Amino acid sequence: MAVQESSDLESFAQNQVQSDQDHLPLVLVHRLPSFDIPLTPLLQSHFIVLDPHHSSHSPPNSFLYSQAQSVRALVVYGPCPLTADTIRLLPSLELVVATSAGVDHIDVSECRLRGITVTNAGDAFSEDVADYAVALLVGVLRRLTAADRYVRSGLWRLNVEYPLGSKIGGKRVGIVGLGRIGSEVAKRLMAFGCSIAYNSRKKKPSVPYPYFANVYDLATNSDVLVVCCALTSATHHIISREVMKALGKEGVLINVGRGALVDEKELFQFLTRGEIGGAGLDVFENEPDVPRELFTLDNVVLSPHKAVLTPESLESVFQLVLANLKAFFSNKPLMSVVHQE
């Protein structure tokens, strides 16, 4: 009799769990087949998660058409493009949650046309990206990667002459895009004794740094440019040949935004001809393709688009994604909403 009662209790519990799960909101994951992050298990504790790449349906659009017609919320993992065509397959979509700070891979115009709210990573990555931007600058000015190669190759033991690096303190740093990340960069470089100026879409009344309405004038008055603005049609190749020329032969360019913010062909020519002092690049226009001629330059520090990645920042963005989804399904205010430019 006791065995029967235990079995009945287990059956009741399983049915209750199933019933609870049946009432969970649907959340669609949108990602590249090769790109996955350990966010799904966290989401599965609160939502029914649909992932076309974990489905037997092929191609994924077939899955969307047959299974996701009622989906109201979609999470975009990393850099996966979200096009207008994909958005149109989701007639009930109301929310797009990006796990990245930049949303240039998302058709935000189509979302706004449809009344779909878009959120991004907000402040989750800001501190780590700012740390990385400063590290790239230190690496370029003090030639850290070149020093590493110098030691490993045995040149130190041979007493081969090693070129001096440059002091960080006192440098005039121009920040292109004084948003969350740019503000954190400024705060860190102020502690190094640098002077800060900036360019943004508009002047920020509460900011004490000098403002330049265009990047050319900012470069003219800077020793270093740190690029961390969003990529839009207006900022594509904002670091042009003219801007690099204004920065000058001793100038240093740091890019932790998007590769297409910089006219790469011009930058590579400036670097190889010695017409710019150096560069620290975490992003490239055609990732992961990087011109091989940069590999031998001691005044260039290269990084594989990893400025955002620390365990701490990933946990922070995971919690932000979860919080936004919970807020949405509870009709509460969202965090990190991407507003109209």
Side-chain angles (χ1 to χ4, degrees):
M1 189 69 175
V3 173
Q4 181 63 42
E5 289 179 354
S6 175
S7 176
D8 289 344
L9 286 172
E10 289 178 3
S11 178
F12 174 80
Q14 290 173 356
N15 289 336
Q16 187 64 42
V17 169
Q18 184 61 51
S19 176
D20 292 342
Q21 289 179 337
D22 289 342
H23 289 87
L24 292 177
L26 291 176
V27 171
L28 177 66
V29 166
H30 184 63
R31 65 181 178 88
L32 298 170
S34 60
F35 189 96
D36 204 358
I37 52 178
L39 172 59
T40 301
L42 177 65
L43 298 181
Q44 286 173 331
S45 300
H46 305 273
F47 311 102
I48 296 174
V49 178
L50 303 178
D51 185 341
H53 296 293
H54 289 165
S55 161
S56 59
H57 290 259
S58 182
N61 279 358
S62 299
F63 178 89
L64 296 180
Y65 185 79
S66 62
Q67 300 293 323
Q69 298 298 289
S70 61
V71 166
R72 298 171 58 207
L74 178 148
V75 181
V76 181
Y77 283 11
C80 184
L82 180 61
T83 65
D85 288 341
T86 299
I87 294 169
R88 292 177 191 131
L89 293 172
L90 304 167
S92 302
L93 190 63
E94 299 174 40
L95 175 68
V96 171
V97 180
T99 62
S100 57
V103 292
D104 50 283
H105 56 298
I106 294 171
D107 194 328
V108 177
S109 296
E110 178 68 19
C111 289
R112 288 182 178 133
L113 187 65
R114 287 265 308 274
I116 299 167
T117 302
V118 179
T119 68
N120 66 357
D123 286 326
F125 295 132
S126 299
E127 292 186 351
D128 289 330
V129 175
D131 288 347
Y132 212 84
V134 173
L136 287 171
L137 178 58
V138 173
V140 174
L141 289 177
R142 299 305 306 271
R143 297 178 177 268
L144 290 183
T145 54
D148 179 82
R149 290 193 293 271
Y150 177 82
V151 173
R152 291 175 186 270
S153 65
L155 294 177
W156 189 19
R157 182 180 295 276
L158 297 174
N159 201 29
V160 175
E161 183 178 355
Y162 180 78
L164 296 175
S166 179
K167 182 180 176 66
I168 299 161
K171 290 290 188 292
R172 301 171 302 161
V173 178
I175 298 177
V176 183
L178 198 72
R180 297 181 181 97
I181 294 170
S183 297
E184 292 293 333
V185 171
K187 183 166 62 177
R188 284 154 174 74
L189 289 177
M190 286 287 289
F192 276 86
C194 297
S195 61
I196 306 296
Y198 75 101
N199 164 266
S200 282
R201 287 182 294 112
K202 59 182 71 173
K203 186 175 182 180
K204 300 176 182 293
S206 61
V207 169
Y209 316 125
Y211 169 73
F212 289 87
N214 64 75
V215 179
Y216 178 87
D217 289 341
L218 180 66
T220 301
N221 291 275
S222 299
D223 304 308
V224 176
L225 283 184
V226 180
V227 185
C228 40
C229 61
L231 176 61
T232 66
S233 57
T235 60
H236 183 267
H237 286 186
I238 193 171
I239 308 301
S240 62
R241 181 180 187 278
E242 291 72 24
V243 169
M244 291 176 230
K245 190 173 182 180
L247 187 58
K249 289 188 176 182
E250 301 300 320
V252 171
L253 178 68
I254 304 297
N255 189 5
V256 290
R258 288 291 187 269
L261 294 167
V262 177
D263 187 335
E264 285 189 348
K265 291 183 179 179
E266 290 292 344
L267 173 61
F268 300 153
Q269 290 182 25
F270 268 68
L271 287 167
T272 53
R273 294 196 303 252
E275 295 177 356
I276 192 171
L281 308 172
D282 181 53
V283 288
F284 303 88
E285 193 158 5
N286 298 301
E287 296 173 358
D289 295 330
V290 180
R292 296 187 63 83
E293 56 265 31
L294 297 182
F295 295 172
T296 60
L297 297 179
D298 283 346
N299 61 341
V300 178
V301 178
L302 305 173
S303 170
H305 201 155
K306 299 297 183 184
V308 303
L309 293 184
T310 66
E312 294 84 357
S313 66
L314 286 177
E315 178 61 24
S316 180
V317 78
F318 290 174
Q319 292 301 324
L320 179 61
V321 167
L322 180 61
N324 270 322
L325 289 170
K326 283 184 172 182
F328 171 73
F329 287 112
S330 302
N331 293 316
K332 294 180 180 178
L334 297 169
M335 295 170 281
S336 65
V337 174
V338 177
H339 296 288
Q340 179 75 44
E341 291 290 337

